[in-house]
Amino acid sequence: MALRVPQSNGPQLFKEGYKNLQGLEEVIFRNIQATKEMSEITRTSFGPNGRNKMVVNHLEKLFVTNDAATIIRELEVVHPAAKLLVMASQQQEAEAGDGTNYVIIFASELLQRAESLLRMGLHPSEIARGYELALKEALRALEALAAEEVREWTDPAQVLKAVRSAIASKQYGQEDVLGKLVAEAVVATMPRGDASRFNVDNVRVVK
């Protein structure tokens, strides 16, 4: 008896409820819509006055937080485009420890602006090239927009300039008190002579 080979477009290859999408409008626009819905979850928690979210994970554990890193860590995201936003946010968390919500919101806005350009007839590669040019121009302009600069990493007052805004986004009104304590802890664990070798794990929080 001959072995029956399923056809590539047959329903027997996929789970029940699958969708087959093709073409610019069906695929790219649906990906943009997925990233928009992803950003809507964390957008209202942005900033010092952001709202708290109640998240129940797969272990039925309850979280009440406005920290985007915690929210997306507990979400089970399956859409490929939305997963890219999650990965970018997690990379931001690993590199800087802050700005996770901003990454999701900003990336989603860029894609939503690209949607109108796609409807005008521009090719995705042309839009990507335009964003690359805008990135270079933005990086050049940022150099001239610096408000504060940390010149001496062994001075707690100087380090406070770098950590104050990050603390204010989570503990608004307490940034001066907590920022001073964090700055002192950072300076105490800073490798002498090379600030680039500082390890975040050297600072522990005991409560």
Side-chain angles (χ1 to χ4, degrees):
M1 184 174 67
L3 178 66
R4 180 174 178 271
V5 179
Q7 298 296 321
S8 60
N9 59 350
Q12 63 273 13
L13 288 179
F14 307 103
K15 292 181 180 180
E16 184 178 353
Y18 80 98
K19 292 182 180 180
N20 183 22
L21 304 175
Q22 59 183 355
L24 178 67
E25 186 169 348
E26 288 189 350
V27 178
I28 297 181
F29 290 164
R30 284 178 183 268
N31 285 343
I32 293 174
Q33 181 64 28
T35 60
K36 179 181 178 182
E37 292 176 3
M38 180 69 198
S39 70
E40 291 295 332
I41 296 174
T42 60
R43 184 188 298 268
T44 53
S45 296
F46 186 67
N49 297 318
R51 301 174 186 172
N52 286 340
K53 295 286 191 300
M54 183 180 292
V55 182
V56 181
N57 67 4
H58 64 287
L59 299 176
E60 300 299 324
K61 186 176 181 181
L62 179 66
F63 295 86
V64 179
T65 179
N66 65 351
D67 181 32
T70 303
I71 294 172
I72 64 173
R73 191 185 306 120
E74 299 301 330
L75 293 177
E76 296 181 9
V77 181
V78 296
H79 195 283
K83 270 187 175 180
L84 286 176
L85 288 191
V86 172
M87 292 168 61
S89 178
Q90 290 173 342
Q91 187 65 28
Q92 172 72 11
E93 172 74 9
E95 289 290 332
D98 191 41
T100 53
N101 203 350
Y102 176 77
V103 168
I104 295 176
I105 295 172
F106 186 60
S108 175
E109 284 297 321
L110 288 177
L111 289 170
Q112 289 178 57
R113 295 295 181 268
E115 182 178 357
S116 60
L117 297 176
L118 289 169
R119 295 187 186 280
M120 290 170 56
L122 271 71
H123 194 272
S125 62
E126 294 175 329
I127 298 173
R129 190 159 54 248
Y131 278 158
E132 289 174 358
L133 293 174
L135 171 63
K136 294 178 181 178
E137 182 64 21
L139 290 175
R140 186 193 64 78
L142 279 174
E143 294 295 331
L145 296 176
E148 296 283 356
E149 183 178 355
V150 179
R151 300 181 182 275
E152 184 54 57
W153 288 99
T154 58
D155 182 7
Q158 291 280 313
V159 176
L160 180 59
K161 296 178 182 179
V163 302
R164 189 175 182 277
S165 59
I167 295 174
S169 67
K170 306 300 179 190
Q171 298 291 333
Y172 186 65
Q174 303 294 325
E175 61 269 17
D176 290 323
V177 176
L178 294 177
K180 182 180 179 182
L181 297 174
V182 172
E184 290 174 354
V186 168
V187 171
T189 58
M190 183 77 69
R192 294 294 175 253
D194 187 4
S196 64
R197 294 173 56 204
F198 173 73
N199 186 4
V200 177
D201 293 331
N202 289 342
V203 178
R204 305 291 175 129
V205 178
V206 180
K207 58 181 178 179

